[in-house]
Amino acid sequence: MSLTPFKRVLVTGGAGFLGSHLCERLLQENNEVICLDNFYTGSKANVFHLRNDPSFEIIHHDITNPVFFQVDEIYNLACPASPVHYQYDPVHTIKTSVLGSINVLGMAKRVRAKVFHASTSEVYGDPLVHPQHEEYWGHVNPIGIRACYDEGKRCAETLFFEYNRLHNVPIRVGRIFNTYGPRMQPHDGRVVSNFILQALQNKPITIYGDGCQTRSFCYVDDLIEAFTRFMAADDSVTGPINLGNPNEFTILELAEEIIDLVNSRSILKFEHLPSDDPKQRQPDIERAKKLLGWEPKVTLHEGLIKTVEYFDQVLQKGEEEYYTYE
Ligand code: NAD
Ligand code: UDP
């Protein structure tokens, strides 16, 4: 039996939804993990179960300030991901993407670490090409309410590729499409968490606009598998690579699936569509299949069952109690 060689790995945004699953996976593979987070949208509760692992460390730090750790690999996930949260302090969101990337890349250059960056399908904006493939340059409103996130992430990609060209920093840029699963925050306003919580409490399901806009939902375990495969790939595989599940659904279809699954009495409540809300989104994952040998395995139905179980527990225990860790 061959074990993965021991590595020191930094995960920025490690106490968030995706970051906490990634820390868990990296520890399972015998790595030493430093979880850096400013706890803006993440929580110590997300990584509380890892606290007794001697290979795990938590650092409270804002990535807009410089850092230095002697590590082999970095996963740069720090950034609020839900529209509600990234629009709350748009200037700090831009700083997190831009200054955060500069700090992470400067460090990667000095310590010669490989660095994965969590980019996003939002770099394609409200896309005019469907499905979205990596050669598409996107359709982003640079002065709209989503721009702090979209343009910040686009600038971050530019920085990653410049550090790669100028300084040979080994980079991996993954463009993540909508991902869901346990440890999404209950009140971050994202569609899967909103609908599940509403359905479990028989409250109206809030459909923004007519609900005909589409998204393609990837279960978190599939995505984390893609992250680690990407990191393990040859340094010539820089990306960008789309990481997501190509099965596309309308928001209305998602609502119906969740209502059925929960056996809920919720009704649909139609509300105002936020500006610049992308009308359709579906990843073309041919590149990920070819270069990483990866494609998602978990169906929406299977993934929703696990996510509903999680939110059900949160509600049963009471949110305050559930997120209390000390
Ligand atoms: P999340 O909000 O749960 O996690 C982000 C983490 O980063 C949180 O723990 C937060 O406290 C931390 N953070 C934010 N600003 C920081 C700062 N300045 N310094 C240090 N830590 C900071 O979101 P997530 O869904 O886990 O997303 C993780 C990454 O993946 C983000 O970069 C996001 O843009 C990207 N992404 C996620 C999705 C998705 O569907 N979940 C889709 C596309 C891209
Ligand atoms: N949405 C919705 N009701 C909600 C939350 C979101 O109809 O309670 C819609 C939202 O307008 C968008 C889609 O669901 O069209 C996905 O929203 P989310 O915030 O999860 O992610 P993003 O827009 O960043 O893909």
Side-chain angles (χ1 to χ4, degrees):
M1 189 179 85
S2 73
L3 283 177
T4 315
F6 164 85
K7 284 176 285 209
R8 287 195 90 205
V9 188
L10 171 68
V11 181
T12 77
F17 160 49
L18 298 179
S20 61
H21 286 273
L22 178 62
C23 288
E24 211 172 76
R25 168 74 186 257
L26 292 168
L27 287 168
Q28 276 162 14
E29 290 176 352
N30 295 319
N31 299 295
E32 201 172 281
V33 176
I34 303 170
C35 162
L36 178 151
D37 207 292
N38 70 349
F39 305 111
Y40 173 52
T41 54
S43 154
K44 283 184 195 159
N46 284 338
V47 286
F48 189 59
H49 60 297
L50 306 176
R51 71 193 180 284
N52 292 327
D53 190 325
S55 301
F56 185 64
E57 244 176 300
I58 304 183
I59 311 275
H60 191 156
H61 182 83
D62 191 309
I63 198 62
T64 59
N65 297 307
V67 276
F68 186 86
F69 297 104
Q70 192 68 50
V71 290
D72 305 298
E73 294 177 351
I74 306 167
Y75 289 85
N76 185 38
L77 270 56
C79 187
S82 95
V84 172
H85 286 150
Y86 68 64
Q87 288 165 21
Y88 179 75
D89 187 347
V91 173
H92 200 260
T93 299
I94 297 170
K95 284 184 184 171
T96 296
S97 279
V98 177
L99 296 178
S101 293
I102 290 172
N103 289 330
V104 162
L105 285 160
M107 186 185 110
K109 181 185 156 198
R110 273 176 284 148
V111 305
R112 298 181 178 276
K114 298 189 215 179
V115 51
F116 169 91
H117 178 63
S119 190
T120 168
S121 52
E122 284 283 326
V123 299
Y124 302 120
D126 189 4
L128 303 177
V129 166
H130 193 75
Q132 293 77 56
H133 54 75
E134 292 87 348
E135 281 88 40
Y136 178 49
W137 291 351
H139 179 234
V140 174
N141 172 3
I143 57 169
I145 56 171
R146 295 175 88 102
C148 60
Y149 184 72
D150 300 9
E151 297 291 17
K153 288 283 188 180
R154 285 166 68 98
C155 183
E157 285 201 7
T158 309
L159 286 162
F160 271 76
F161 279 88
E162 289 304 351
Y163 269 77
N164 178 257
R165 276 191 285 264
L166 290 172
H167 305 300
N168 289 318
V169 172
I171 61 161
R172 280 104 173 105
V173 174
R175 291 183 178 156
I176 305 166
F177 284 64
N178 297 65
T179 301
Y180 68 99
R183 298 199 209 115
M184 291 183 89
Q185 281 180 76
H187 297 293
D188 73 1
R190 284 190 262 191
V191 69
V192 173
S193 43
N194 269 11
F195 285 6
I196 291 178
L197 282 170
Q198 290 161 346
L200 283 170
Q201 297 170 97
N202 295 307
K203 290 183 177 167
I205 304 278
T206 52
I207 308 280
Y208 302 161
D210 59 10
C212 293
Q213 69 271 36
T214 68
R215 295 293 186 272
S216 309
F217 299 99
C218 184
Y219 187 65
V220 60
D221 291 356
D222 279 333
L223 189 77
I224 299 302
E225 175 66 28
F227 284 10
T228 55
R229 282 189 189 216
F230 200 172
M231 190 59 104
D234 189 86
D235 284 350
S236 61
V237 184
T238 58
I241 300 184
N242 288 339
L243 303 175
N245 190 319
N247 286 336
E248 185 184 15
F249 299 88
T250 66
I251 294 305
L252 277 176
E253 285 170 338
L254 177 72
E256 280 155 16
E257 173 87 27
I258 291 175
I259 289 172
D260 283 353
L261 191 68
V262 172
N263 203 9
S264 169
R265 296 190 302 280
S266 293
I267 54 158
L268 301 185
K269 184 175 172 223
F270 289 85
E271 294 189 356
H272 165 75
L273 183 71
S275 64
D276 297 332
D277 198 289
K279 282 179 271 311
Q280 51 182 4
R281 185 181 287 156
Q282 182 189 34
D284 174 330
I285 60 161
E286 288 311 308
R287 205 179 264 190
K289 281 187 190 167
K290 188 168 158 222
L291 297 176
L292 310 180
W294 173 86
E295 63 183 311
K297 298 205 169 6
V298 182
T299 64
L300 182 66
H301 187 75
E302 291 161 349
L304 285 176
I305 290 175
K306 295 184 187 180
T307 315
V308 166
E309 274 167 17
Y310 170 76
F311 281 113
D312 197 30
Q313 278 171 22
V314 172
L315 287 177
Q316 300 227 0
K317 205 164 177 193
E319 268 176 59
E320 209 168 306
E321 173 84 358
Y322 196 91
Y323 291 103
T324 301
Y325 51 88
E326 287 176 329

